[in-house]
């Protein structure tokens, strides 16, 4: 694969996490000769977060393979319509239909263990006298729900360093569904207690994705990084010329 053909892998993190959730994946991708960008997603709104990631994609020369974990799957569903995106990879993620919100997709299935472990915290919104609402996970419940097969010491750090998701993001409808025009791969975390695995399966099946299942907690990138890298490599190979 020539330098000009080799895509940049853009890794989009989800809610209650940040780009460090890809800490085990990034060095493996770099060792395989791939360029990588792992942006800090604001986690303020689906539309705004997708616009933020789309701008990063636009400024990236050459083809892009866009990878989204969890809520990041919803983000790449919208941002992936950029012209230079050649493939989408969903990791325990939401594959929304155009016009669908996170809440609507989740609402079709029984709640996961996450539902009764959420914490709602007001935050000031610049230019408004009405606060926003941040959603995070109770730190004492975080390891079991989010990272059951991750090193317990790391899970305890992740629990107290969460990047919350604004509640607004749960209700915004996706204005586009990039999987309709871009080749897509999906990983189901079959032991997921954050997103009901059937939510993942349903979205991937509806999109006609190439799908794999891994016996993993929600944070599959930290629990099974080599398997994640192999799936990303598959998408890279299949869409590179």
């Amino acid at each position: 694969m020539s330098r000009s053909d080799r895509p940049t892998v853009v890794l989009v993190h989800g809610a209650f996490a940040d780009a460090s959730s890809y800490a085990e994946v990034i060095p493996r991708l770099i060792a395989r000769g791939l360029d990588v960008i792992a942006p800090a997603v604001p986690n303020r709104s689906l539309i705004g977060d997708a616009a933020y990631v789309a701008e990063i994609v636009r400024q990236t020369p050459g083809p892009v393979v866009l990878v989204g974990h969890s809520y990041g799957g919803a983000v790449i569903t919208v941002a992936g319509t950029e012209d230079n995106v050649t493939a989408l990879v969903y990791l325990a993620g939401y594959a929304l239909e155009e016009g669908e919100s996170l809440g609507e997709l989740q609402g079709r299935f029984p709640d996961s263990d996450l539902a009764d472990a959420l914490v709602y915290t007001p935050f000031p919104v610049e230019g408004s006298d009405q606060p926003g609402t941040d959603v995070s996970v109770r730190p004492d419940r975080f390891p079991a729900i989010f990272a059951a097969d991750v090193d317990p010491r790391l899970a305890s750090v992740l629990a107290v360093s969460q990047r919350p998701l604004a509640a607004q993001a749960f209700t915004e409808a996706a204005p586009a569904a990039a999987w309709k025009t871009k080749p897509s791969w999906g990983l189901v975390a079959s032991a997921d207690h954050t997103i009901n695995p059937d939510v993942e399966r349903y979205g991937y099946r509806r999109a006609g994705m190439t799908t794999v299942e891994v016996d993993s907690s929600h944070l599959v990138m930290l629990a099974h990084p080599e398997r994640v890298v192999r799936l990303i490599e598959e998408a890279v190979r299949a869409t590179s010329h």
Side-chain angles (χ1 to χ4, degrees), residues 9-177:
V9 178
V10 176
L11 302 169
V12 180
H13 66 78
F16 324 130
D18 57 26
S20 68
S21 58
Y22 288 103
E24 294 294 332
V25 168
I26 291 168
R28 287 171 167 82
L29 292 173
I30 292 172
R32 286 158 165 82
L34 291 163
D35 293 325
V36 180
I37 300 172
V41 183
N43 282 6
R44 298 294 81 188
S45 72
L46 177 58
I47 306 301
D49 294 340
Y52 182 88
V53 171
E55 185 60 36
I56 291 169
V57 169
R58 278 195 294 274
Q59 293 182 35
T60 302
V64 166
V65 170
L66 201 49
V67 181
H69 173 245
S70 189
Y71 165 68
V75 174
I76 70 169
T77 296
V78 180
T81 57
E82 291 300 311
D83 290 343
N84 58 326
V85 173
T86 58
L88 305 170
V89 180
Y90 291 77
L91 305 173
Y94 294 103
L96 299 179
E97 173 61 277
E98 184 175 348
E100 184 178 58
S101 70
L102 289 174
E104 288 170 338
L105 176 55
Q106 281 200 149
R108 294 193 176 99
F109 299 89
D111 284 342
S112 70
D113 293 343
L114 177 69
D116 66 358
L118 294 174
V119 178
Y120 301 91
T121 308
F123 67 88
V125 177
E126 187 176 356
S128 173
D129 58 1
Q130 296 298 312
T133 301
D134 260 342
V135 183
S136 57
V137 184
R138 279 177 46 181
D140 62 321
R141 302 276 307 276
F142 183 98
I145 291 173
F146 218 74
D149 49 0
V150 174
D151 179 272
R153 290 191 305 170
L154 175 57
S156 67
V157 172
L158 299 173
V160 299
S161 58
Q162 297 176 47
R163 193 180 187 98
L165 179 65
Q168 176 181 342
F170 289 96
T171 59
E172 287 184 338

Side-chain angles (χ1 to χ4, degrees), residues 155-229:
S156 67
V157 172
L158 299 173
V160 299
S161 58
Q162 297 176 47
R163 193 180 187 98
L165 179 65
Q168 176 181 342
F170 289 96
T171 59
E172 287 184 338
W179 48 259
K180 293 188 174 186
T181 57
K182 306 293 172 83
S184 304
W185 284 256
L187 184 151
V188 175
S190 60
D192 200 333
H193 290 274
T194 299
I195 299 176
N196 183 333
D198 285 339
V199 173
E200 301 164 22
R201 294 183 184 107
Y202 173 83
Y204 299 169
R205 186 169 57 248
R206 180 173 62 181
M209 293 187 198
T210 301
T211 304
V212 299
E213 298 224 2
V214 178
D215 183 14
S216 176
S217 72
H218 192 58
L219 276 177
V220 64
M221 310 91 73
L222 287 170
H224 301 277
E226 194 61 40
R227 187 64 190 90
V228 168
V229 168

